[in-house]
Amino acid sequence: MKHSVACFTIVVRCLTVVIAGGVSLVANASANAGEVTFATHIAKIMYDHCSTCHRPGQSGPFSLLTYEDCRKHSETIAVVTKDRYMPPWKPVHTGIDFANHRRLSDEQIKMIASWVAANCPEGPKDQMPAAPQFTDGWALGKPDLVVKMQSPFKVPAEGRDLYRSFVLPVGLPEDKWIKAYELRPTARSVVHHALFFVDETGSVRNQSERDGQPGLKGMNFLRGIGGNFMERGPDRLAGGLGGYVPGAVPNPLPGDLARFLPKGSDIIMQTHFHPSGKAEVEQAELGLYFADKPPAQRLVPIQLPPLFGMGAGLDIAPGEANFQIHGSYVLPIDVRGVEIGGHAHYICREMRMTAKLPSGEKIELLYIDEWDLDWQDQYQFASFQVLPKGTELSVTITYDNSANNPENPFSPPQRISWGRESNDEMGSITLQVIAVDESQRQVLEEDLRNATRESLRKRIQSQATGLAALGGGPLGKGGLMKLLDRNRDGKLQEKEVPEKLRDRLFDFMDNNGDGELDTEELAAGRRSLDSILDRK
Amino acid sequence: MLNPYNQSIAMALISIIASAVSAQQPPVAVIREQTGVLNFTDTDGNEHAVPCKKGTRGVVLVFINTECPIANAYHPTLRRLREEFSDSRFDFVMVHADANLKTDAARKHQKDYEITWPIVLDSGNKIARHVEAKVTPEAIVVDAKGDVLYRGRIDDRYQDYGRKRPEPSTHDLKVAMQAIVEGKSVPTPETKAIGCVIRYVD
């Protein structure tokens, strides 16, 4: 199935190339008889799409700033652009334009191939575009605030990729609005990308270094998701700050839009490291740029399926090559789409979000056909997407848990289900929107909260037998504590809870993330559950 | 221990028996028939050659590039490989595929990545041309007769650009070297190496 789709795509691509190529030959004929040279054609492509990362001190492994640089790596450039491995840009072009996209057109890729095949002619020096100028410091100037990882993290020379979260302590005494941010890693060769989340509780920093190393494993900061959800609502939980590729030009939000950073919050940076062949030390800094005042319209995240796919039935049998989860949501008010991004782990293959407008028109808001968790970006629409009331948003995420998927973390394949470790899976696409009429925003937020609650209810019901059996009856009425509190300190420590149930219980109830469940947390957890399940 | 003469007789016998049992794979290519013998000197002044020097079982060439992240990620693996086969009479050589690389840059890179193999600068891409190397990292094992016994990847960690296994499932170069030591034919003598494409200078 995948093959036939791929073949079809290739045929379409070839046709496009032929047509586009024809046009370009005509267009260039007047310039210099169609010869592709660095000065006349290639330099601009390299400077616009490659040099921001491929320069000293950035994440690209070598510089592409001069003719000599590009000639030296020309054969590799031809191969990786043709493959679309570089420049890294995962969304398939569906007709939607994104701001600061790095995608090359088929025509540009063909031009690079012709240039390399012709042995990289330099071309007329007087037509050489000026080399790009970069500031050595922060791309957007001095940040309003620079926060830093609490302590350095050692990345070994070799081994599996590492997936770890770090707390960047912020803890400001007042609410702030983030306009843009820029990440500056210390070990750029090993840091591919980072995702940022807000910890409103300010408590995740206490969970740091629990395994003796800086930071937290995987996405362990998502603990207490059940209780925190009820207290704060899904908009806060899903309200990550987005993904960022080091070296990319930071994208300030358009207009007066900005992201909410409530007082007392910390920022969690989830990072994916590739061992580079030599030991490295990472202690990244994040530069924050604040807006002067709150925005007139507030961003609302619509995450589908909600809670990173927690309630979407993510449970994939070993060998299953085409497992799908779905999420859909009908907009209760008119909105504008501002930006979009996805999140999943290793065995995700494909994800898409489609909007079906009331007119019947379909828009593919995001389609990633070869998911790669190395390049989790946040994609800002070049112009707001008009999404009227009644628009149905549908997300489908596809996973390949077969041995044929080289990225499968298990060999032979094992059952993989929803979880916070990198070898577990997650899956969701988050669309950030604004209400056309800001006074209607709460209608959307309330509706989303209900949709998320429904998804959480499904998750709980699918696991209810386990939880109920454990408590020997309705959860939290002292049964659980009596049964498991072996050291009788009135709290449940993680080691007192059977391993199989540990994640479930602590996911839902460990609100302060201290690895203990006290009577109050158990009672709060029970209230959350009752409320979600509509129990009295 | 067998002396080299007896050992080669033993190996010949083994290969005859092996070929009687299952058709023996022909070598990937034969270097000497094409281009003769190529001698070269490493950065410490020691001599190496393709086909391999006398007294060695084969020359193990790995093409590298200081700026290729895929090649660089393999240095810990390659360091271990040399330790594991230290008593097997292979001649280990890392060849810098960048024909314009300066000795200072090669030495700095050698120190940064703790490279223990002899390093050769390949001006004019002479060695790469001789053995038809295409990417970094690419391993090529050539025996005394000039037969290319193995050509390709170090292991199967990279399936394609951006398609990487969490851990390699086959260690192709090591398996090939092990087979050569045991006098067996290499089970998969040619694999596809994924990495940075070597640019040949004019």
Side-chain angles (χ1 to χ4, degrees), chain A residues 66-324:
Chain A
T66 63
Y67 169 65
E68 274 312 315
D69 289 343
C70 297
R71 189 172 71 147
K72 185 172 163 188
H73 296 282
S74 57
E75 301 279 350
T76 303
I77 292 169
V79 170
V80 299
T81 51
K82 183 162 179 255
D83 188 74
R84 289 197 176 276
Y85 173 57
M86 287 285 147
W89 185 258
K90 298 314 287 181
V92 175
H93 188 57
T94 61
I96 286 183
D97 291 323
F98 292 104
N100 288 346
H101 77 86
R102 295 183 292 271
R103 187 180 182 277
L104 296 181
S105 68
D106 293 331
E107 188 190 0
Q108 287 171 317
I109 291 169
K110 192 176 169 252
M111 224 177 248
I112 292 168
S114 320
W115 178 65
V116 175
N119 204 9
C120 313
E122 187 171 11
K125 282 210 161 67
D126 59 337
Q127 291 186 42
M128 188 74 78
Q133 296 296 311
F134 296 102
T135 52
D136 280 342
W138 300 93
L140 301 178
K142 191 172 175 282
D144 296 312
L145 180 69
V146 177
V147 291
K148 193 174 183 176
M149 277 167 60
Q150 289 167 302
S151 45
F153 178 69
K154 286 181 188 158
V155 183
E158 62 175 330
R160 285 182 165 235
D161 292 353
L162 294 166
Y163 202 42
R164 213 165 161 85
S165 301
F166 301 94
V167 179
L168 305 172
V170 186
L172 292 174
E174 54 186 6
D175 290 349
K176 284 285 183 188
W177 295 90
I178 300 173
K179 192 72 196 154
Y181 55 83
E182 181 179 354
L183 177 68
R184 301 222 314 196
T186 50
R188 295 194 182 253
S189 61
V190 295
V191 178
H192 255 251
H193 79 277
L195 291 176
F196 296 96
F197 299 86
V198 173
D199 170 31
E200 281 191 43
T201 66
S203 69
V204 177
R205 57 167 88 174
N206 304 329
Q207 298 178 47
S208 209
E209 310 212 12
R210 202 165 275 172
D211 60 358
Q213 292 202 61
L216 304 84
K217 273 166 74 183
M219 292 176 78
N220 271 307
F221 59 87
L222 285 179
R223 292 199 142 191
I225 200 167
N228 283 329
F229 160 69
M230 288 314 293
E231 265 177 50
R232 296 187 174 78
D235 43 334
R236 300 292 182 79
L237 270 181
L241 296 175
Y244 183 67
V245 179
V249 180
N251 257 0
L253 284 162
D256 76 337
L257 292 178
R259 300 173 212 274
F260 187 41
L261 183 69
K263 65 179 177 187
S265 305
D266 288 333
I267 293 177
I268 312 290
M269 175 178 79
Q270 185 201 69
T271 316
H272 190 201
F273 295 106
H274 286 197
S276 69
K278 61 176 175 163
E280 304 268 11
V281 174
E282 181 54 53
Q283 190 168 13
E285 287 181 322
L286 182 72
L288 298 168
Y289 300 84
F290 297 126
D292 300 335
K293 55 179 184 6
Q297 287 158 299
R298 197 154 150 175
L299 286 169
V300 179
I302 302 179
Q303 195 186 56
L304 293 175
L307 302 172
F308 303 98
M310 192 187 201
L314 243 178
D315 186 15
I316 316 169
E320 172 65 60
N322 194 30
F323 183 90
Q324 293 192 326

Side-chain angles (χ1 to χ4, degrees), chain A residues 289-357:
Chain A
Y289 300 84
F290 297 126
D292 300 335
K293 55 179 184 6
Q297 287 158 299
R298 197 154 150 175
L299 286 169
V300 179
I302 302 179
Q303 195 186 56
L304 293 175
L307 302 172
F308 303 98
M310 192 187 201
L314 243 178
D315 186 15
I316 316 169
E320 172 65 60
N322 194 30
F323 183 90
Q324 293 192 326
I325 59 168
H326 303 276
S328 67
Y329 178 70
V330 178
L331 292 171
I333 60 167
D334 291 344
V335 304
R336 298 287 179 268
V338 176
E339 62 176 21
I340 193 163
H343 179 69
H345 298 170
Y346 289 109
I347 65 164
C348 175
R349 195 179 63 210
E350 200 177 283
M351 58 170 68
R352 69 168 86 212
M353 180 185 269
T354 311
K356 190 180 168 198
L357 309 190

